[in-house]
Amino acid sequence: MNELQQKWHEEFRAVLACKDAFTENAVLTHSYHDRKLPEFLKEIIQAHGQDRVQRVLAATVNRAPWDGRYYRLVKEWAAQVEPFPQFPGHQGEARDFSEFCINDHPIIVIATVRLLMNREKVLAHPK
């Protein structure tokens, strides 16, 4: 395996670890119900990075384009997040990386995405 392929595998595992951090012990659901979602989002971004958090949430929303519970604005945000790249040298049909998706209720995912969108807006336009 060459260096590019090794880096791809490392990033793939890192995004999976981020997804696992969302789902382990239903921490996202508990954070939502305990009204601690902003704190949880801050912690997961510090631990895994904003790009990986974006990829997990965007993959989840993009996986269900038929689901009307996701707001149009959230779907538009998810569509603009750069998808995970295909394996170097991959040929054939593109993979969708459904293993990055979390299985939480859309309302919880929406609330998390909206917090992330607000964070991105603040970072893009600091006072």
Side-chain angles (χ1 to χ4, degrees), residues 11-26:
E11 184 59 21
F12 179 84
R13 287 190 293 271
V15 175
L16 280 181
C18 180
K19 177 252 186 175
D20 291 343
F22 271 102
T23 59
E24 189 172 341
N25 299 320

Side-chain angles (χ1 to χ4, degrees), residues 18 30 44 48 53 73-74 102 109 112 122:
C18 180
H30 292 305
I44 199 167
H48 297 279
V53 170
L73 190 63
V74 170
I102 56 177
V109 175
T112 309
V122 168

Side-chain angles (χ1 to χ4, degrees), residues 20-39:
D20 291 343
F22 271 102
T23 59
E24 189 172 341
N25 299 320
V27 68
L28 178 60
T29 300
H30 292 305
S31 296
Y32 175 81
H33 289 295
D34 294 343
R35 299 177 189 257
K36 295 183 179 177
L37 201 52
E39 294 88 349

